[in-house]
Amino acid sequence: MSMPLSLEWTLVTEGKERRLEEEDNHFTLTLEGYRLYPLHERIEIRRHQTSDQIGFGEIKSLTFTENKTEILYQLVSLYSVN
């Protein structure tokens, strides 16, 4: 049995991220499907696939479960709050 997996270099949040209160600039995001991102490297963060980049983030952990990818990332730079 094969498992579909996509390799990603840009994190597209679609506005579904949730801020973690106990950590500065840390967010969680759950995406459909299995997606593999580089860990502990600066990657682009976008709100939508065709929108401008909002900043850079660093993915701290990935968890694969029930055809979903759970991501914990830290926003390391922000271009604009809008």
Side-chain angles (χ1 to χ4, degrees), residues 32-76:
E32 291 294 323
Y34 298 117
R35 300 168 189 234
L36 186 59
Y37 293 88
L39 293 173
H40 309 294
E41 297 288 331
R42 283 175 45 120
I43 65 169
E44 289 183 16
I45 297 181
R46 296 176 183 268
R47 192 84 64 213
H48 303 284
Q49 188 69 34
T50 58
S51 66
D52 291 335
Q53 179 181 347
I54 61 169
F56 283 100
E58 183 178 317
I59 295 180
K60 302 296 186 179
S61 70
L62 294 172
T63 305
F64 303 122
T65 182
E66 298 179 6
N67 201 34
K68 293 183 194 280
T69 302
E70 296 175 11
I71 302 166
L72 171 64
Y73 71 95
Q74 179 180 14
L75 188 62
V76 293

Side-chain angles (χ1 to χ4, degrees), residues 11-19 27-31 45-49 51 54 73:
L11 184 59
V12 180
T13 66
E14 298 292 339
K16 297 177 183 176
E17 72 276 7
R18 290 184 306 134
R19 180 184 290 272
F27 297 84
T28 61
L29 176 64
T30 302
L31 299 172
I45 297 181
R46 296 176 183 268
R47 192 84 64 213
H48 303 284
Q49 188 69 34
S51 66
I54 61 169
Y73 71 95

